[in-house]
Structures are given as structure tokens and as C-alpha cells.
Amino acid sequence: MATATATTDKVAEDATAVPYAARIEHVSKSFAGPAGRQLVLDDITLDVAPGEFVTLLGASGCGKSTLLNLVAGLDRPSAGTIGTDGRPALMFQEHALFPWLTAGKNIELALKLRGVAKAERRPEAERLLELVRLQGAYGKRVHELSGGMRQRVALARALAQDSRLLLMDEPFAALDAITRDVLHDELTRIWRETGLSVLFVTHNVREAVRLAQRVVLLSSRPGRIAREWTVGIPQPRRIEDTAVAELSVEITEELRGEIRRHGQH
Ligand SMILES: Nc1ncnc2c1ncn2[C@@H]1O[C@H](COP(=O)(O)OP(=O)(O)O)[C@@H](O)[C@H]1O
Ligand SMILES: [Mg+2]
């Protein structure tokens, strides 16, 4: 069991496997602001099971990124504890690839940081590019890639960390609808193939329902878990499926209620 700041050590976790990918217990977070301390997250308790795909949904400013950053270990909770099964991999809306490196070298850098031997890096980078369906992009520089392709490389680089938990913060929010739709399919496929656990943050209800086994709705000011839904719709789903649309309508109603209760956004 890891505590607030430390993630479970690789060696230790192999000896004593933990029954969760992430465990968030009674976590609160406040920031100092001009009007005193602002409570952003209030008493969040949430587990992500091994292999589970959870989406964290909420209006902008409700504290989704704050919570994800805490799980990533980039910041500490003001109260409560967070444990993860190993060090999580991260993927953001901005790809954060190094522009002076090729797609392949960006991935190899992650492999190097993980301690993969030099001779194994290129074949592993090629394998990961194939997994995200970017065969042939190894030598391409970032500026030569479309937005969707960049996010594919960013996903391959996140996968290169060989983490059991992938944290995604609105990774497809800047993409056009068609590209996003294709990447939803790819992410679903990769999640099913790899058995990864995913905690995916979004403000897009349809996206949350399209992807997740469980949708967790956060309220605003402060962020609390308002409600959660288990999504039983079989994968692969399509964003335009009737069942996806119906559940999205129900969740949107709830989200509207949250926004009405807590002011404008
Ligand atoms: N480092 C920080 N210092 C002060 N306030 C912050 C900090 N990070 C986030 N906040 C505040 O916390 C609230 C939630 O932000 P955030 O987690 O980014 O929301 P979301 O990702 O849901 O849009 C916002 O009001 C934001 O201004
Ligand atoms: Mg955010």
C-alpha cells in the first residue's frame, strides 16, 4: 500500500500485488487564493480496479486535472491518501513530444528512462508505433505529423513506460470529431489488448460514455463525487449508438443540475 506521495515500488509490488490500480481515499485539496484557501476537491474516495476503464466527468474548473495530478504524484493532497500500482503513465491534451526528436526517438527516450537496453529500444519503438497504427512514422518529425498522429505518438510514448495505470487528461479534446472518433476506437482496442487500467478525464459526456466501464461524475465548487454509472453497453461501441446517446442524455441532465446548483461556468 502506497501513501499520499509515494507510489508502490516496482520490486515491492511484485511480491505483494495490490488489488487496485489506483486507490483514492478521502482526498481533499485546497489552494491558497486571494480570498483565502479555496477548497477544490472535497473528500474524494474512488478505486480504479486492475484492468478497469474509468472516466472522470465534470464541468471545466471542477477539479478533474487537480485530481489526476494528485494520482500522478505531481502534487500532494491536503488530506487523504492515494495509492497506485506502480508509477502511472500520463497523457495530456497537448502532446508534449520533443519537436527536435523524431516520433521513434520520442518513444525511445521513454524506453531509455525505463531502463530498456539500447539494442532493444528501436524494435520496441517500432512495435509500439504499430500498436497505435503508425507503422512507418518512426523517422517523422513532430511538425510532419497531424494532430491525431501526434496524439498517437504520445499514446505510444505513454505505453512505452510499461505502467499498469494510464492517466489521460482530455487527450483528444483538441482534435476534430472524426479524428477523435477514430482514436476512441484505437484506445478501446489497446485497452482491451493490453489489460491496462485507465483513468480518463473529460468534460464531454458522450466521450465518457463511449469509452468507460464506469463514469464518475464530479460536482463543482468543491469537486465531490456526485454520482457514478456502470456502463454495461458492449464494446466496441460507437459514439452514435442509441444506448450511448440515451445514457449520455441522462448524465447530461445530472451534470446540468450540478452546474445549476453551483453557479455558472
Ligand atoms: N496550482 C493551483 N493553484 C491555485 N489554484 C489552482 C491550482 N490548480 C488548480 N487550481 C484551481 O482549482 C480549480 C480546478 O482546476 P482544474 O483541476 O484544472 O479543473 P478541471 O481540470 O476540472 O477543469 C480551478 O478553480 C483552478 O483555478
Ligand atoms: Mg483540466
Side-chain angles (χ1 to χ4, degrees):
M1 170 71 203
T3 50
T5 49
T7 50
T8 313
D9 177 67
K10 271 236 180 245
V11 180
E13 104 211 357
D14 290 337
T16 53
V18 289
Y20 54 81
R23 171 159 289 176
I24 303 164
E25 288 186 294
H26 301 293
V27 163
S28 296
K29 179 72 180 172
S30 53
F31 293 107
R37 289 196 79 77
Q38 179 202 1
L39 183 64
V40 171
L41 295 172
D42 186 22
D43 197 20
I44 307 280
T45 293
L46 174 69
D47 265 17
V48 179
E52 193 181 20
F53 198 128
V54 176
T55 50
L56 199 59
L57 175 70
S60 74
C62 79
K64 302 180 297 295
S65 296
T66 301
L67 185 57
L68 211 69
N69 288 344
L70 293 174
V71 177
L74 299 175
D75 199 358
R76 292 162 175 242
S78 308
T81 58
I82 295 178
T84 56
D85 182 10
R87 187 187 292 276
L90 283 171
M91 187 176 161
F92 301 103
Q93 182 175 330
E94 307 78 29
H95 56 76
L97 298 169
F98 293 118
W100 59 89
L101 296 177
T102 60
K105 290 292 180 195
N106 265 284
I107 298 168
E108 285 185 24
L109 183 60
L111 294 169
K112 183 179 176 183
L113 292 172
R114 200 184 101 202
V116 173
K118 194 161 195 286
E120 292 165 27
R121 285 180 214 151
R122 172 136 196 182
E124 180 60 6
E126 304 261 21
R127 186 189 72 79
L128 288 165
L129 283 169
E130 208 173 303
L131 186 63
V132 298
R133 297 198 209 269
L134 269 187
Q135 304 86 312
Y138 181 91
K140 290 256 189 326
R141 284 187 190 276
V142 174
H143 72 265
E144 296 178 89
L145 304 172
S146 67
M149 290 163 90
R150 288 175 195 181
Q151 287 309 69
R152 284 173 193 258
V153 177
L155 178 57
R157 188 183 55 176
L159 296 170
Q161 294 173 44
D162 202 28
S163 300
R164 275 184 283 274
L165 173 64
L166 178 58
L167 304 174
M168 307 182 88
D169 194 351
E170 315 222 21
F172 309 138
L175 302 176
D176 64 80
I178 306 279
T179 306
R180 191 185 312 137
D181 193 50
V182 172
L183 282 166
H184 286 159
D185 287 346
E186 302 290 19
L187 178 60
T188 303
R189 175 181 59 79
I190 288 165
W191 164 64
R192 294 168 91 195
E193 277 177 24
T194 57
L196 264 174
S197 314
V198 182
L199 183 56
F200 186 108
V201 158
T202 182
H203 64 266
N204 182 324
V205 181
R206 285 267 190 145
E207 176 171 66
V209 174
R210 157 71 186 83
L211 292 170
Q213 292 177 301
R214 195 149 56 96
V215 176
V216 176
L217 178 66
L218 279 190
S219 65
S220 301
R221 298 174 192 177
R224 294 191 179 119
I225 293 180
R227 216 181 130 181
E228 61 174 67
W229 289 262
T230 300
V231 187
I233 308 161
Q235 290 280 17
R237 300 168 195 155
R238 305 230 52 93
I239 205 143
E240 63 275 8
D241 285 346
T242 312
V244 171
E246 283 173 359
L247 183 55
S248 299
V249 169
E250 182 188 328
I251 295 176
T252 302
E253 274 309 305
E254 196 85 16
L255 186 55
R256 281 217 186 97
E258 278 306 320
I259 291 170
R260 272 197 299 272
R261 270 191 288 282
H262 300 279
Q264 92 287 1
H265 284 263

